[in-house]
Amino acid sequence: MPDLRTLTVTLIEAKDVVACDKGGTSDPYCKLELFDAVTNKACSGESFKSKTKKKTLNPQWGESYDFGKKGCNLESRSQPLLVLNMWDSDTFSSEEMGRVTIELKDLPQGTDVTDKWYPLGNTEKATSITGQVHLSFKYSAALLTEMPVDMNDPPMSIEDQDPDGKPNELHVLLIKATGCKVMDKNLLSKGGSSDPMMTFSMGGDDKQKSSVKKKNLSPVWEEKFKFAVSSTEAVLTCVMDDYDMGSGNDFMGKFEVPMADLGSKQEVRQWYTLTEEDGNAEHDIGSVLLSVKWIHNKDLISPVDKPVDYNDPPFAVVDHDPAKEPNELNVFIIKAYKIKIMDKNLLSKGGSTDPVFSMVLGEESLKTKVIKKNLNPEYNEKFTLGMRSAAGSLKVVCDDYDMGSGNDFVGQCEIPLEGLADRKEVRAWYALGDTENKVGADIGHVLVAVQWVFNPERLSPVDQPLDWNNPAFECKDEVDEPVLNELNIFLIKAYGLKVMDKNMFSKGGSSDPMVSFTIGDEIMKSTTKKKTLEPVWEEKFQLPVKSTTATLTCTVDDYDMASGNDFMGKFEVPLADLADRQEHRQWYAMCGEDGLETADIGHVLLAFKWIHNPARLSPVDIPVDYTNPPMEVIDADPQRRPNELVVFLIKAWGLKVMDKNMFSKGGSSDPLVNFSGIGEEKQKSTTKKKTLEPEWNETFRFPVKNNKAKLSVVVDDYDMASGNDFMGKFEMNVADFENRQEIRQWYHLCAEDGTHGADIGSVLIGARWVFNPELLGPVDQPVNFAEPYLEAVNDHVENEHGFPLNELVMVIIRAWGLPVMDKNLFSKGGSSDPMCTVTCGNHAPQKTEIVKKNLNPEWNASFRWNIHEDDLHDTTVKFVVDDYDMASGNDFMGKFEFDTSELLDGVERRQWHPLTDETPDEVEDAGQDLGHVLVGYRLIHNPAFAPPPPEPEEVEEYVPPPPPELTPFEKRLKKCMEMLAGESLNLAKLELTTLPEEVNALTDLKGLNLRGNQLSYVSPATFSSLAGMAQLNMSLNAFSVIPDGLSSLSNLVRLVVSDNQLSALPIDLFAMPKLCELYAERNFIRDLPKGISVALNMTKLMLAGNQLTAVPDEVAEMPALQTFDVRNNPLNEGDMGTGVRKIYDSTVLHISKSSRRGLVSRALKVRTMVEENRERQLRLFAEQEKAAKRAEINKAKEGKKGKR
């Protein structure tokens, strides 16, 4: 047995681990263990514990451990999991310090050393973990399945006798396997083994087996097999079993080799991965090295391989009139070759078969004669079948005749009929397959010729011109009324129906046909015509129907009172074809149950006319009276966003009979109405007993803010014993009520699948979307920036005078309106145990505490992360709220996220974030409310994270200069391509005057930062190349106008053009379909363009520090606008319109108090610095004057001395 493949893991070191002891240190040690990736159970014996390192947060170990020597399988692609748990050693107990889970399958599987740092993650008990651990990995040998395959070890040594000939023999070389499953576990010790064997089959009974390799998980066979097979549709099925003589073999895995992959006739040698019985290959259960080659063997040449002779024997078929549509399929069963042996000899090898062939076209079936004891029978029998459509196929089935026990299935094939439209003979050999037409090993071929022609003897009344007056079909239509409300059906007769009741003692038979008409849930039936295949009804039916999308299904059955009706055929009539209000009369060809029209199984002559019948007018057709009864609803503040949908359920009309009378016609229903889809609580109306025209006059209220929400309305028939029965349903879109006026209308019920068929009733409902102040919650109130304060804000230097932002501080305050996850067993309602997990970029996730049984939890949990300056534009902060469950695992409740690029101004944001589902687009479309989370956050400068000052450089000997470094632009472009997948490019502060052409090639770019350059122009070609861009920052440049072509960015969500020289904003910006945020602060904008309300999705419009003198009232008409900042403009805030002022006041309230204190403190600092500079200058001037006077005095003294 070869040496076991092992893995050496070296625990090198760790850094910045969490402090667990009072002195600010820890005593860390690690436990490393392998776990099965499928069962998640620990691999027995594969566990190691490191030494304990005392009083350190940066422990050094340098210890190595060998895994795989105690029975854990490292030979397969599905490697186990390596779990490292770090603990703080204590005398009486140990405290968790973090966990790392590594999927070994993701590591390189060669023999090279892999060296990586892994962040320590949280555990169930430890939620504030920090630090990283350093590990290295080395396998003792490369994974066998990833090593190059030697095509000559062992050689296959098979020659193709005719490289140009059609392949007809498959050669298989079974070499070896690796990584097989343990099937026979040891009773008294760990581990186990298996006794693998392989079985090869090409379908049918032809199976070949390898030898059994005892107690081996890496068996070597080197055994050869061969199969006679010529079909490219065949598949070689390879199954590995664990041999067991007593209880039977146990399945270990399987794989398939399609013959279509071997058509090149070259040897294919490769590792095939074993899969489960259902084909699941998620987990590796072993691999098999197999060599296959499909060649041409001249000894196996058969008549099937030779060209077909169309004259031996000839197929004399007459097409009587090529100009007329074909109506007859001619079939010529010529012969068969090498039919499978079904009757084996008892005392010797071999055997024979009694083959008989059946031709099945739709519901029609014909048979050949039986040829006894012949594997190569010749029939030369001709058959004809009526066929008007070339849809579908002709099925040819071969059976082994047995008078006593019944025929045994041999094989079948299908001949497609689409190719017969040219009316020429098609003659070919067809390989027999299984019941699903899957062709495997050769089990026989049949030579069949088919041709589609016109035969006048098959003409019938169906082919004659229609007589529109015999019988006449009279319907009075009110042509002046536009609404069609009644479908008139005239069932005239049928022709050529199938025999369903065969005669017992003679050929032939008859049927008892009846016709059913179905639209939706409505069914009408004709009378039954006894013992006839050409029934005449001349019966009329009327169905109330208004929907042009409905389809009438017509089904013909053979009536049988005892055993139930037998299906004879069906067809469908779309009502949209009848909307011209004219009579439609025609023969309808019947289809099988699969809806395909193949062999002629009968036609039905029907006439239709869709009209307006005034007798069918109902209350639904009369204009709605809004005052009878009145709907009393108050909209408390029409200026506020609506938050409540009020529904007034008035009455219903024309409901279906659900409780039929037992001894007479007719019946009644007990209708009630269910409302759902908005919120978690369902609401129901009262039940109105025994009526099809109930009146309720009941009011229901639903809290809803999202105009994408839908209210589902279902009408049921109440039944206390057996449960309610569905009567119909419809949906109400909240967006239909945005005008905030009552809308009262009849809603037509549809079937459970959402289709409208016959009229099954209508419901009259009035509804209005209004504002209700009683539904206001904390989410709707102004945010309090005072409590709680952000931690570490006042301890660090503000972002001013070149101090870069490098730390994100955050407080997760509370949540509101979370969904119920733990429902009460014996009462309504329930609760949840929410916790919030936040992940900042590549940092380890952080978690809040768990708040038990609360849908409005308060956390007040503070977090902070160091963010490098280069990552400020690319870091995403993700939040996930879960319902904690120790036993079954946490349940997802909602999520949201934001980018740190939104926080570059250093101002605190504190706002409510709505939770979305794991598929947010679907949730948004449905309008669901999953709750909100209040979070405060801000980017600051923390000196602790600032880089240390550079050390003085030592003078060294001259060293030749290195190769020229990349330019700053090239570095940024390289990072974009290699680290950010070409989706985000940061070109801030590069002093660019023109945008390099290399940017145009980044077609996948989603975000572009051009802040702090000297740009005044961007080519329109750039914007057309970057059509998928979502965020663009052009602030702090020299733009005097918005560049041409920018408005073509149809996917742009956020645009920043602050600190430029803009004097106006074009209306094209506001017409951009997805633009949500526009920052144009500190420019020279004097007014806003007309038509600004076209910005349907804009939520933020920031125009502080411009020259606006007025704000148009159109701003208030922007439906999504939430933040509007026009501070520091020469305008009078009192002149703003009411709607604009509300948005502006709400914006100003969101400026944090701490930010305002920071602005004042910075102003005081600047003033103090100016005053100090002034005092220094005055002192300097005084000292200079004194020095000048002293110099003059000294000069005068020296002059006097010279005179003396």
Side-chain angles (χ1 to χ4, degrees):
M1 182 179 293
D3 295 336
L4 292 174
R5 185 171 185 252
T6 61
L7 171 64
T8 300
V9 180
T10 302
L11 173 61
I12 303 172
E13 59 183 326
K15 65 180 181 180
D16 301 331
V17 299
V18 66
C20 297
D21 299 335
K22 292 181 179 180
T25 62
S26 296
D27 303 327
Y29 70 91
C30 295
K31 183 177 180 181
L32 295 85
E33 193 168 8
L34 290 186
F35 282 79
D36 189 280
V38 180
T39 63
N40 206 28
K41 293 182 178 179
C43 299
S44 180
E46 302 286 357
S47 176
F48 297 93
K49 180 180 176 182
S50 75
K51 295 179 181 179
T52 301
K53 300 299 179 179
K54 294 290 185 179
K55 299 187 183 301
T56 179
L57 300 182
N58 300 290
Q60 302 280 334
W61 282 287
E63 301 177 13
S64 297
Y65 316 101
D66 291 331
F67 292 93
K69 294 184 176 181
K70 300 295 181 65
C72 187
N73 185 6
L74 299 178
E75 299 286 349
S76 67
R77 295 186 183 93
S78 182
Q79 298 281 296
L81 304 176
L82 174 64
V83 178
L84 181 148
N85 285 287
M86 185 178 291
W87 302 80
D88 174 56
S89 179
D90 205 334
T91 304
F92 300 103
S93 63
S94 294
E95 183 178 350
E96 291 182 324
M97 296 179 63
R99 177 181 299 159
V100 176
T101 301
I102 302 167
E103 294 193 10
L104 297 182
K105 68 178 182 180
D106 296 335
L107 296 176
Q109 297 296 310
T111 57
D112 295 334
V113 176
T114 303
D115 190 286
K116 294 186 72 173
W117 282 91
Y118 292 92
L120 288 164
N122 294 338
T123 66
E124 293 78 5
K125 297 180 180 179
T127 58
S128 299
I129 298 302
T130 62
Q132 295 176 295
V133 63
H134 189 189
L135 300 172
S136 72
F137 307 87
K138 187 179 187 303
Y139 283 98
S140 62
L143 197 62
L144 190 59
T145 54
E146 295 190 359
M147 296 177 65
V149 175
D150 188 346
M151 300 296 289
N152 296 312
D153 184 20
M156 195 166 193
S157 302
I158 298 296
E159 295 296 332
D160 194 342
Q161 298 178 3
D162 184 0
D164 297 327
K166 180 182 177 181
N168 58 6
E169 186 176 60
L170 176 67
H171 288 257
V172 179
L173 173 59
L174 173 61
I175 303 172
K176 57 185 173 182
T178 184
C180 300
K181 285 197 300 185
V182 172
M183 304 300 293
D184 307 321
K185 294 184 179 180
N186 298 335
L187 292 176
L188 304 177
S189 63
K190 298 172 184 176
S193 190
S194 298
D195 305 326
M197 60 175 289
M198 293 293 299
T199 302
F200 301 97
S201 67
M202 298 292 298
D205 298 328
D206 186 12
K207 295 182 179 180
Q208 300 186 44
K209 296 183 179 181
S210 73
S211 59
V212 179
K213 300 299 178 181
K214 293 287 186 177
K215 301 186 182 302
N216 201 329
L217 299 180
S218 300
V220 177
W221 284 283
E222 298 186 3
E223 299 177 10
K224 295 181 179 181
F225 309 88
K226 60 182 178 180
F227 295 88
V229 55
S230 57
S231 172
T232 57
E233 299 178 4
V235 175
L236 174 67
T237 302
C238 313
V239 179
M240 179 182 287
D241 289 319
D242 172 56
Y243 176 76
D244 196 321
M245 185 173 61
S247 59
N249 298 345
D250 298 315
F251 176 84
M252 294 179 68
K254 71 172 186 178
F255 62 92
E256 293 182 341
V257 182
M259 292 298 99
D261 297 345
L262 309 177
S264 64
K265 303 174 69 174
Q266 299 298 318
E267 179 184 353
V268 175
R269 181 175 299 200
Q270 69 181 59
W271 286 98
Y272 291 90
T273 302
L274 293 171
T275 67
E276 301 288 353
E277 285 189 276
D278 58 1
N280 183 6
E282 181 179 357
H283 302 291
D284 191 356
I285 55 175
S287 300
V288 178
L289 182 58
L290 197 73
S291 183
V292 287
K293 189 175 182 180
W294 199 14
I295 66 168
H296 176 79
N297 187 344
K298 294 180 179 180
D299 296 335
L300 296 180
I301 293 178
S302 67
V304 177
D305 303 308
K306 298 178 181 179
V308 174
D309 187 352
Y310 275 74
N311 297 313
D312 185 22
F315 186 22
V317 178
V318 178
D319 192 349
H320 294 273
D321 191 345
K324 292 185 178 180
E325 292 294 325
N327 61 359
E328 183 180 74
L329 178 66
N330 287 259
V331 183
F332 189 18
I333 304 295
I334 303 172
K335 57 185 175 181
Y337 178 75
K338 271 197 174 181
I339 300 296
K340 189 172 66 170
I341 293 175
M342 301 299 293
D343 305 323
K344 295 182 179 180
N345 298 332
L346 293 175
L347 303 177
S348 63
K349 292 183 179 181
S352 188
T353 301
D354 306 326
V356 56
F357 283 87
S358 303
M359 288 133 290
V360 181
L361 181 64
E363 305 293 331
E364 293 294 308
S365 178
L366 298 171
K367 290 186 178 181
T368 67
K369 61 188 176 183
V370 179
I371 297 182
K372 294 283 188 178
K373 300 185 182 302
N374 199 328
L375 301 180
N376 303 296
E378 292 193 13
Y379 296 92
N380 295 324
E381 294 187 45
K382 299 178 181 179
F383 305 88
T384 59
L385 292 162
M387 188 181 81
R388 297 173 183 269
S389 170
S393 59
L394 174 69
K395 184 191 295 185
V396 180
V397 182
C398 178
D399 290 319
D400 172 51
Y401 176 76
D402 195 321
M403 184 173 63
S405 59
N407 296 350
D408 298 317
F409 175 81
V410 177
Q412 69 177 34
C413 63
E414 287 194 356
I415 303 174
L417 302 178
E418 293 90 344
L420 304 181
D422 59 0
R423 303 170 78 148
K424 295 180 179 179
E425 177 188 350
V426 175
R427 182 179 298 201
W429 284 98
Y430 295 93
L432 298 178
D434 58 16
T435 54
E436 297 179 354
N437 297 312
K438 184 177 179 181
V439 177
D442 292 341
I443 57 173
H445 289 73
V446 59
L447 180 59
V448 182
V450 290
Q451 189 173 358
W452 195 21
V453 299
F454 171 75
N455 187 350
E457 296 180 0
R458 286 192 177 271
L459 291 176
S460 67
V462 177
D463 303 293
Q464 304 301 324
L466 291 174
D467 186 350
W468 290 76
N469 298 312
N470 185 24
F473 183 28
E474 297 179 356
C475 298
K476 185 178 180 182
D477 185 8
E478 297 289 338
V479 294
D480 295 333
E481 295 292 337
V483 179
L484 300 173
N485 63 0
E486 183 180 80
L487 178 64
N488 286 261
I489 305 171
F490 189 20
L491 172 61
I492 303 173
K493 58 184 177 182
Y495 178 82
L497 300 184
K498 287 193 305 180
V499 172
M500 302 301 293
D501 306 322
K502 295 183 179 180
N503 298 334
M504 295 185 66
F505 303 105
S506 63
K507 294 184 178 180
S510 188
S511 297
D512 305 324
M514 60 175 289
V515 181
S516 303
F517 301 98
T518 305
I519 294 184
D521 296 328
E522 291 293 311
I523 300 177
M524 302 186 74
K525 296 182 179 181
S526 72
T527 58
T528 301
K529 299 300 178 181
K530 294 286 187 178
K531 300 186 181 302
T532 177
L533 301 180
E534 301 178 7
V536 177
W537 284 282
E538 296 189 5
E539 298 177 12
K540 297 180 180 180
F541 307 88
Q542 293 82 32
L543 281 170
V545 59
K546 299 178 181 177
S547 173
T548 57
T549 61
T551 298
L552 175 69
T553 301
C554 308
T555 304
V556 182
D557 289 321
D558 171 56
Y559 176 76
D560 195 320
M561 182 173 64
S563 60
N565 298 346
D566 298 316
F567 175 84
M568 297 179 71
K570 70 175 183 179
F571 57 91
E572 292 183 344
V573 182
L575 296 198
D577 298 343
L578 312 178
D580 58 2
R581 308 177 78 146
Q582 302 298 317
E583 178 184 346
H584 293 258
R585 180 179 298 202
Q586 73 178 70
W587 286 96
Y588 290 89
M590 291 165 53
C591 304
E593 290 189 271
D594 57 3
L596 293 178
E597 180 187 346
T598 50
D600 290 342
I601 55 174
H603 289 72
V604 180
L605 180 59
L606 281 168
F608 298 97
K609 194 172 184 181
W610 201 4
I611 65 171
H612 174 84
N613 186 351
R616 288 194 180 274
L617 289 177
S618 66
V620 178
D621 304 300
I622 301 173
V624 173
D625 185 355
Y626 276 76
T627 61
N628 183 27
M631 181 180 180
E632 298 177 358
V633 180
I634 298 175
D635 193 347
D637 187 351
Q639 300 298 325
R640 300 288 296 271
R641 183 181 179 185
N643 60 359
E644 183 179 58
L645 181 66
V646 183
V647 177
F648 186 29
L649 174 62
I650 305 172
K651 58 184 176 182
W653 189 88
L655 299 182
K656 287 193 304 182
V657 172
M658 302 301 294
D659 307 322
K660 296 183 180 180
N661 298 334
M662 296 185 66
F663 303 105
S664 62
K665 293 184 178 180
S668 189
S669 297
D670 305 323
L672 79 156
V673 180
N674 302 279
F675 299 94
S676 63
I678 297 180
E680 294 188 355
E681 185 176 355
K682 298 180 180 179
Q683 299 191 46
K684 295 182 181 181
S685 72
T686 57
T687 302
K688 300 299 178 180
K689 294 287 187 179
K690 299 187 182 303
T691 177
L692 302 179
E693 301 176 7
E695 291 193 14
W696 285 283
N697 295 328
E698 299 176 12
T699 301
F700 304 88
R701 297 178 180 272
F702 302 92
V704 57
K705 298 178 183 177
N706 194 331
N707 63 354
K708 294 184 179 179
K710 295 181 181 180
L711 181 65
S712 177
V713 185
V714 179
V715 181
D716 286 329
D717 170 57
Y718 176 76
D719 195 321
M720 184 173 63
S722 60
N724 298 346
D725 299 316
F726 176 84
M727 298 180 70
K729 70 175 183 178
F730 59 91
E731 284 186 344
M732 299 172 62
N733 296 319
V734 175
D736 296 339
F737 307 98
E738 286 186 310
N739 63 358
R740 306 181 73 151
Q741 302 298 318
E742 179 190 353
I743 296 179
R744 184 176 296 194
Q745 70 181 62
W746 286 95
Y747 292 89
H748 303 300
L749 297 176
C750 65
E752 284 190 275
D753 60 3
T755 59
H756 285 275
D759 294 340
I760 56 175
S762 302
V763 180
L764 180 60
I765 286 181
R768 188 178 178 190
W769 197 17
V770 299
F771 171 75
N772 185 351
E774 297 179 1
L775 296 180
L776 292 177
V779 180
D780 305 293
Q781 305 299 331
V783 175
N784 182 5
F785 280 80
E787 294 182 2
Y789 284 113
L790 278 179
E791 285 189 7
V793 170
N794 297 324
D795 299 337
H796 302 322
V797 181
E798 301 288 349
N799 176 34
E800 190 173 2
H801 302 299
F803 294 127
L805 300 170
N806 59 9
E807 184 176 46
L808 174 64
V809 292
M810 177 187 299
V811 56
I812 302 178
I813 304 170
R814 59 185 301 196
W816 182 264
L818 298 182
V820 172
M821 304 300 292
D822 306 321
K823 295 184 179 180
N824 297 335
L825 291 175
F826 304 104
S827 63
K828 293 184 178 180
S831 189
S832 298
D833 306 324
M835 60 179 288
C836 184
T837 303
V838 56
T839 306
C840 178
N842 296 324
H843 293 273
Q846 306 275 13
K847 297 183 180 180
T848 66
E849 62 181 4
I850 302 164
V851 181
K852 293 285 188 179
K853 300 186 182 302
N854 200 326
L855 300 180
N856 306 304
E858 291 193 13
W859 288 296
N860 292 326
S862 297
F863 307 98
R864 58 189 184 188
W865 297 270
N866 170 227
I867 302 179
H868 193 272
E869 183 180 5
D870 294 338
D871 298 328
L872 290 175
H873 297 273
D874 311 316
T875 300
T876 300
V877 185
K878 299 180 180 180
F879 299 79
V880 177
V881 180
D882 290 318
D883 171 56
Y884 176 75
D885 196 321
M886 184 174 62
S888 60
N890 299 345
D891 298 316
F892 176 85
M893 298 178 72
K895 69 176 183 179
F896 65 94
E897 62 182 41
F898 66 81
D899 294 328
T900 54
S901 59
E902 304 172 11
L903 312 178
L904 299 181
D905 55 7
V907 177
E908 177 187 349
R909 266 75 167 177
R910 186 169 295 201
Q911 65 187 65
W912 288 94
H913 290 269
L915 293 174
T916 64
D917 203 346
E918 292 181 284
T919 52
D921 293 338
E922 297 178 4
V923 174
E924 185 179 354
D925 293 341
Q928 298 181 20
D929 186 1
L930 301 178
H932 292 71
V933 178
L934 179 59
V935 183
Y937 39 87
R938 180 185 179 190
L939 283 173
I940 65 170
H941 173 74
N942 187 343
F945 298 132
E951 297 180 359
E953 297 182 0
E954 296 181 1
V955 179
E956 298 180 357
E957 295 182 2
Y958 173 77
V959 177
E965 294 187 359
L966 297 176
T967 65
F969 168 74
E970 291 172 338
K971 290 180 180 179
R972 302 276 183 94
L973 186 63
K974 181 179 180 182
K975 178 179 179 181
C976 171
M977 298 301 296
E978 295 181 356
M979 301 178 62
L980 305 176
E983 295 185 354
S984 180
L985 178 59
N986 179 13
L987 300 181
K989 299 180 182 180
L990 293 184
E991 300 184 358
L992 299 175
T993 57
T994 59
L995 195 60
E997 294 184 359
E998 290 87 344
V999 177
N1000 295 359
L1002 303 176
T1003 56
D1004 295 331
L1005 201 64
K1006 299 295 187 298
L1008 176 60
N1009 182 12
L1010 301 175
R1011 177 181 173 85
N1013 286 287
Q1014 301 175 22
L1015 298 171
S1016 61
Y1017 172 78
V1018 177
S1019 170
T1022 298
F1023 297 121
S1024 62
S1025 301
L1026 309 179
M1029 193 185 309
Q1031 296 194 29
L1032 176 60
N1033 187 345
M1034 301 194 303
S1035 60
L1036 272 176
N1037 279 282
F1039 292 102
S1040 58
V1041 295
I1042 296 295
D1044 293 338
L1046 189 146
S1047 58
S1048 65
L1049 298 177
S1050 58
N1051 292 309
L1052 195 65
V1053 176
R1054 187 172 188 266
L1055 174 62
V1056 183
V1057 290
S1058 302
D1059 299 298
N1060 279 283
Q1061 302 172 21
L1062 301 175
S1063 59
L1065 295 176
I1067 187 61
D1068 293 348
L1069 280 186
F1070 298 91
M1072 296 175 73
K1074 294 186 180 180
L1075 189 62
C1076 297
E1077 300 180 8
L1078 175 58
Y1079 295 80
E1081 301 161 311
R1082 295 175 295 281
N1083 281 281
F1084 303 95
I1085 301 170
R1086 297 179 180 276
D1087 50 28
L1088 297 176
K1090 294 183 180 181
I1092 194 174
S1093 60
V1094 299
L1096 301 180
N1097 294 315
M1098 188 168 292
T1099 60
K1100 286 186 180 182
L1101 181 56
M1102 313 300 286
L1103 300 171
N1106 281 282
Q1107 298 182 16
L1108 295 173
T1109 57
V1111 177
D1113 291 338
E1114 281 185 277
V1115 173
E1117 299 176 9
M1118 297 169 70
L1121 192 63
Q1122 299 177 1
T1123 305
F1124 180 60
D1125 189 1
V1126 289
R1127 291 172 297 154
N1128 299 328
N1129 277 276
L1131 54 80
N1132 186 356
E1133 297 178 358
D1135 294 339
M1136 293 185 187
T1138 304
V1140 178
R1141 186 58 185 268
K1142 284 187 177 181
I1143 302 174
Y1144 173 70
D1145 290 345
S1146 175
T1147 302
V1148 174
L1149 283 174
H1150 280 71
I1151 301 175
S1152 72
K1153 294 181 180 179
S1154 60
S1155 297
R1156 281 179 274 176
R1157 286 197 302 273
L1159 293 172
V1160 173
S1161 65
R1162 285 195 292 272
L1164 292 175
K1165 289 179 182 178
V1166 172
R1167 181 179 300 173
T1168 302
M1169 292 172 61
V1170 172
E1171 291 177 354
E1172 291 176 352
N1173 289 336
R1174 184 177 180 184
E1175 290 178 358
R1176 283 197 299 270
Q1177 290 176 353
L1178 291 174
R1179 286 196 301 270
L1180 181 60
F1181 290 152
E1183 291 176 358
Q1184 289 176 348
E1185 289 179 358
K1186 289 180 181 179
K1189 288 180 180 180
R1190 284 196 299 269
E1192 289 178 359
I1193 293 172
N1194 293 335
K1195 187 176 182 181
K1197 288 180 179 180
E1198 290 178 357
K1200 290 178 180 180
K1201 290 179 180 180
K1203 290 179 179 179
R1204 291 176 183 176

